[in-house]
Amino acid sequence: MNNYLIYLDILFDLTAIILGCILVFSSKDNKLKLSWGICSILVGTAFLIDNIRFMGLPIELLPGAYDLLVIHRMLKWLILVTIALMIPLASLRPGFLTSLRIVLFFIPVMLIITIAGSYHVFNGEITQLTSLQSITKNAYHLDVKLRISIFVLTNIISWAYFIISFAGKDASLKRKTTFLMWIYIGWSVLILLFFTFFSLFINTFLFYTYDFYVASFCIFFSVLFLLYENPFSRIKSIKEKEDDENTKQQPVRLQPLAERVFKDIETHTKADKSFTEAQYSIDDLAGKLGIKSKLIVEAIKSAGFTGFKEYVIFLRIEYFKELVLRQTGKSVKELMYTSGFTTRSNFYRIFQRYENMTPLEYMKQFS
């Protein structure tokens, strides 16, 4: 029975790796999708290596299977959990995770890894801990003190990075949270609790289900990233942005250069309407503005979009809504094609996600 569970885990690990690779190669300028793809690959690979090593062995014979506060196990998942819990921050607060901030967020993680690694190299004595009582009895040992400290810091850092996405004075986020983000939040909380129990209480059920649970998490959201540019949040409509500006006392400003470039982009797209062409690309926009594609991407992201593709979708949705008011009597299909969408199913799915109603329901409001 145990072997069947390991084979199932291996199947899920391989699926997570394959989906992660697809996301990495299809991410283009969407760094959020790229980050999730890398995270999925790392998680799947880490579990796959362990499962291949353990294949064919009963859990009783696995080295350290019932040991608690295992240093390499805690460090491995500290890195992966830190990456995964930054996803809400990157999704809800675009432009916040600069290179400097990412480095600062990883400094505590790297310090913990350095200290633990140094202990292994220069000391290496590891006390066997198989129960909470054994942790209490051996608390005076240096390695046990170190392991308890790593466990406490790992949990504090994980929860802190998770909460920071929704905390702070500037938590009036530019992007709206979707229902899928709340699923992600709930799933992440359970993973953090699972991680805590996995470090303090190990048994056959936890050993075999932990891999399955985390791999399922990666697979589920990898599929969503294949379907959506950003499944966790959506950009606000023009009306919502205007309402925000009216209620904010101190509106958040973009970086000066990015702000100027994005204003030029908005001015051009409103006048040119080239985004309604089915094959419209960032090279088309860069060529007409005489600006490098990289700078255009940075300006678009600083305005709250995940990348060029999502910005074009936003423009097409807003243009469709504009056409509904100006060209009454036309069908959804006609207005959809005029706006730049090419498939009905894709348009309905995107529109409903943005406006929480179907295009037909939207049109009926003005009929």
Side-chain angles (χ1 to χ4, degrees), residues 176 234 240 350-358 361:
K176 296 193 72 174
R234 70 174 181 87
E240 288 170 326
I350 292 172
F351 190 91
Q352 191 155 9
R353 184 165 172 265
Y354 273 65
E355 301 298 330
N356 294 319
M357 65 179 76
T358 66
E361 289 171 340

PDB file of all heavy atoms in Angstrom, residues 176 234 240 350-358 361:
ATOM      1  N   LYS A 176      -7.788  44.287  -7.241  1.00  0.00           N
ATOM      2  CA  LYS A 176      -8.880  43.680  -6.492  1.00  0.00           C
ATOM      3  C   LYS A 176      -8.629  42.181  -6.306  1.00  0.00           C
ATOM      4  O   LYS A 176      -8.214  41.501  -7.219  1.00  0.00           O
ATOM      5  CB  LYS A 176     -10.205  43.899  -7.218  1.00  0.00           C
ATOM      6  CG  LYS A 176     -10.609  45.362  -7.318  1.00  0.00           C
ATOM      7  CD  LYS A 176     -12.042  45.510  -7.741  1.00  0.00           C
ATOM      8  CE  LYS A 176     -12.983  45.117  -6.629  1.00  0.00           C
ATOM      9  NZ  LYS A 176     -14.392  45.375  -6.965  1.00  0.00           N
ATOM     10  N   ARG A 234      -7.487  41.088  -9.946  1.00  0.00           N
ATOM     11  CA  ARG A 234      -7.836  41.683 -11.239  1.00  0.00           C
ATOM     12  C   ARG A 234      -7.665  43.185 -11.159  1.00  0.00           C
ATOM     13  O   ARG A 234      -7.753  43.794 -10.088  1.00  0.00           O
ATOM     14  CB  ARG A 234      -9.281  41.349 -11.629  1.00  0.00           C
ATOM     15  CG  ARG A 234     -10.362  42.022 -10.800  1.00  0.00           C
ATOM     16  CD  ARG A 234     -11.741  41.722 -11.383  1.00  0.00           C
ATOM     17  NE  ARG A 234     -12.805  42.360 -10.636  1.00  0.00           N
ATOM     18  CZ  ARG A 234     -13.225  43.593 -10.854  1.00  0.00           C
ATOM     19  NH1 ARG A 234     -12.637  44.332 -11.770  1.00  0.00           N
ATOM     20  NH2 ARG A 234     -14.210  44.109 -10.155  1.00  0.00           N
ATOM     21  N   GLU A 240     -13.744  52.407 -10.963  1.00  0.00           N
ATOM     22  CA  GLU A 240     -13.216  52.052  -9.642  1.00  0.00           C
ATOM     23  C   GLU A 240     -11.961  52.850  -9.331  1.00  0.00           C
ATOM     24  O   GLU A 240     -11.751  53.284  -8.193  1.00  0.00           O
ATOM     25  CB  GLU A 240     -12.931  50.552  -9.576  1.00  0.00           C
ATOM     26  CG  GLU A 240     -14.190  49.707  -9.526  1.00  0.00           C
ATOM     27  CD  GLU A 240     -13.882  48.235  -9.700  1.00  0.00           C
ATOM     28  OE1 GLU A 240     -12.947  47.895 -10.453  1.00  0.00           O
ATOM     29  OE2 GLU A 240     -14.587  47.426  -9.087  1.00  0.00           O
ATOM     30  N   ILE A 350     -13.377  36.097 -19.756  1.00  0.00           N
ATOM     31  CA  ILE A 350     -12.602  37.259 -19.301  1.00  0.00           C
ATOM     32  C   ILE A 350     -13.535  38.372 -18.824  1.00  0.00           C
ATOM     33  O   ILE A 350     -13.315  38.965 -17.760  1.00  0.00           O
ATOM     34  CB  ILE A 350     -11.696  37.776 -20.443  1.00  0.00           C
ATOM     35  CG1 ILE A 350     -10.600  36.750 -20.740  1.00  0.00           C
ATOM     36  CG2 ILE A 350     -11.065  39.110 -20.064  1.00  0.00           C
ATOM     37  CD1 ILE A 350      -9.771  37.077 -21.960  1.00  0.00           C
ATOM     38  N   PHE A 351     -14.568  38.652 -19.593  1.00  0.00           N
ATOM     39  CA  PHE A 351     -15.478  39.747 -19.243  1.00  0.00           C
ATOM     40  C   PHE A 351     -16.167  39.480 -17.907  1.00  0.00           C
ATOM     41  O   PHE A 351     -16.279  40.376 -17.061  1.00  0.00           O
ATOM     42  CB  PHE A 351     -16.527  39.937 -20.344  1.00  0.00           C
ATOM     43  CG  PHE A 351     -17.334  41.190 -20.177  1.00  0.00           C
ATOM     44  CD1 PHE A 351     -16.935  42.374 -20.770  1.00  0.00           C
ATOM     45  CD2 PHE A 351     -18.502  41.199 -19.418  1.00  0.00           C
ATOM     46  CE1 PHE A 351     -17.675  43.541 -20.599  1.00  0.00           C
ATOM     47  CE2 PHE A 351     -19.246  42.349 -19.251  1.00  0.00           C
ATOM     48  CZ  PHE A 351     -18.822  43.531 -19.846  1.00  0.00           C
ATOM     49  N   GLN A 352     -16.620  38.255 -17.724  1.00  0.00           N
ATOM     50  CA  GLN A 352     -17.319  37.925 -16.476  1.00  0.00           C
ATOM     51  C   GLN A 352     -16.378  38.034 -15.281  1.00  0.00           C
ATOM     52  O   GLN A 352     -16.793  38.420 -14.195  1.00  0.00           O
ATOM     53  CB  GLN A 352     -17.905  36.515 -16.560  1.00  0.00           C
ATOM     54  CG  GLN A 352     -18.863  36.194 -15.422  1.00  0.00           C
ATOM     55  CD  GLN A 352     -19.864  35.119 -15.790  1.00  0.00           C
ATOM     56  OE1 GLN A 352     -19.748  34.480 -16.832  1.00  0.00           O
ATOM     57  NE2 GLN A 352     -20.856  34.907 -14.951  1.00  0.00           N
ATOM     58  N   ARG A 353     -15.124  37.728 -15.495  1.00  0.00           N
ATOM     59  CA  ARG A 353     -14.152  37.833 -14.411  1.00  0.00           C
ATOM     60  C   ARG A 353     -13.885  39.299 -14.069  1.00  0.00           C
ATOM     61  O   ARG A 353     -13.676  39.644 -12.902  1.00  0.00           O
ATOM     62  CB  ARG A 353     -12.855  37.133 -14.826  1.00  0.00           C
ATOM     63  CG  ARG A 353     -11.816  37.097 -13.733  1.00  0.00           C
ATOM     64  CD  ARG A 353     -10.720  36.092 -14.052  1.00  0.00           C
ATOM     65  NE  ARG A 353      -9.656  36.203 -13.091  1.00  0.00           N
ATOM     66  CZ  ARG A 353      -8.553  36.926 -13.261  1.00  0.00           C
ATOM     67  NH1 ARG A 353      -8.388  37.592 -14.384  1.00  0.00           N
ATOM     68  NH2 ARG A 353      -7.628  36.999 -12.347  1.00  0.00           N
ATOM     69  N   TYR A 354     -13.900  40.166 -15.065  1.00  0.00           N
ATOM     70  CA  TYR A 354     -13.634  41.582 -14.827  1.00  0.00           C
ATOM     71  C   TYR A 354     -14.847  42.309 -14.252  1.00  0.00           C
ATOM     72  O   TYR A 354     -14.719  43.165 -13.381  1.00  0.00           O
ATOM     73  CB  TYR A 354     -13.212  42.275 -16.134  1.00  0.00           C
ATOM     74  CG  TYR A 354     -11.743  42.200 -16.428  1.00  0.00           C
ATOM     75  CD1 TYR A 354     -11.132  40.981 -16.690  1.00  0.00           C
ATOM     76  CD2 TYR A 354     -10.952  43.334 -16.448  1.00  0.00           C
ATOM     77  CE1 TYR A 354      -9.776  40.902 -16.967  1.00  0.00           C
ATOM     78  CE2 TYR A 354      -9.601  43.264 -16.718  1.00  0.00           C
ATOM     79  CZ  TYR A 354      -9.016  42.044 -16.974  1.00  0.00           C
ATOM     80  OH  TYR A 354      -7.667  41.965 -17.236  1.00  0.00           O
ATOM     81  N   GLU A 355     -16.036  41.987 -14.754  1.00  0.00           N
ATOM     82  CA  GLU A 355     -17.225  42.771 -14.424  1.00  0.00           C
ATOM     83  C   GLU A 355     -18.235  42.032 -13.554  1.00  0.00           C
ATOM     84  O   GLU A 355     -19.261  42.608 -13.180  1.00  0.00           O
ATOM     85  CB  GLU A 355     -17.919  43.207 -15.727  1.00  0.00           C
ATOM     86  CG  GLU A 355     -17.049  44.044 -16.644  1.00  0.00           C
ATOM     87  CD  GLU A 355     -16.626  45.364 -16.002  1.00  0.00           C
ATOM     88  OE1 GLU A 355     -17.397  45.896 -15.175  1.00  0.00           O
ATOM     89  OE2 GLU A 355     -15.532  45.845 -16.334  1.00  0.00           O
ATOM     90  N   ASN A 356     -17.979  40.761 -13.248  1.00  0.00           N
ATOM     91  CA  ASN A 356     -18.889  39.953 -12.422  1.00  0.00           C
ATOM     92  C   ASN A 356     -20.282  39.825 -13.048  1.00  0.00           C
ATOM     93  O   ASN A 356     -21.290  39.725 -12.343  1.00  0.00           O
ATOM     94  CB  ASN A 356     -19.012  40.533 -11.007  1.00  0.00           C
ATOM     95  CG  ASN A 356     -17.708  40.444 -10.246  1.00  0.00           C
ATOM     96  OD1 ASN A 356     -17.012  39.438 -10.326  1.00  0.00           O
ATOM     97  ND2 ASN A 356     -17.365  41.493  -9.528  1.00  0.00           N
ATOM     98  N   MET A 357     -20.333  39.874 -14.359  1.00  0.00           N
ATOM     99  CA  MET A 357     -21.579  39.650 -15.107  1.00  0.00           C
ATOM    100  C   MET A 357     -21.206  39.309 -16.540  1.00  0.00           C
ATOM    101  O   MET A 357     -20.079  39.567 -16.973  1.00  0.00           O
ATOM    102  CB  MET A 357     -22.483  40.895 -15.070  1.00  0.00           C
ATOM    103  CG  MET A 357     -21.904  42.116 -15.764  1.00  0.00           C
ATOM    104  SD  MET A 357     -23.031  43.542 -15.723  1.00  0.00           S
ATOM    105  CE  MET A 357     -22.811  44.070 -14.034  1.00  0.00           C
ATOM    106  N   THR A 358     -22.145  38.724 -17.279  1.00  0.00           N
ATOM    107  CA  THR A 358     -21.868  38.377 -18.668  1.00  0.00           C
ATOM    108  C   THR A 358     -21.971  39.629 -19.541  1.00  0.00           C
ATOM    109  O   THR A 358     -22.598  40.624 -19.139  1.00  0.00           O
ATOM    110  CB  THR A 358     -22.864  37.326 -19.176  1.00  0.00           C
ATOM    111  OG1 THR A 358     -24.179  37.926 -19.219  1.00  0.00           O
ATOM    112  CG2 THR A 358     -22.875  36.100 -18.283  1.00  0.00           C
ATOM    113  N   GLU A 361     -25.617  40.554 -20.045  1.00  0.00           N
ATOM    114  CA  GLU A 361     -26.213  41.208 -18.870  1.00  0.00           C
ATOM    115  C   GLU A 361     -25.761  42.667 -18.785  1.00  0.00           C
ATOM    116  O   GLU A 361     -26.550  43.538 -18.403  1.00  0.00           O
ATOM    117  CB  GLU A 361     -25.798  40.466 -17.606  1.00  0.00           C
ATOM    118  CG  GLU A 361     -26.451  39.096 -17.455  1.00  0.00           C
ATOM    119  CD  GLU A 361     -25.882  38.276 -16.324  1.00  0.00           C
ATOM    120  OE1 GLU A 361     -24.737  38.577 -15.884  1.00  0.00           O
ATOM    121  OE2 GLU A 361     -26.555  37.327 -15.886  1.00  0.00           O
TER     122      GLU A 361
END
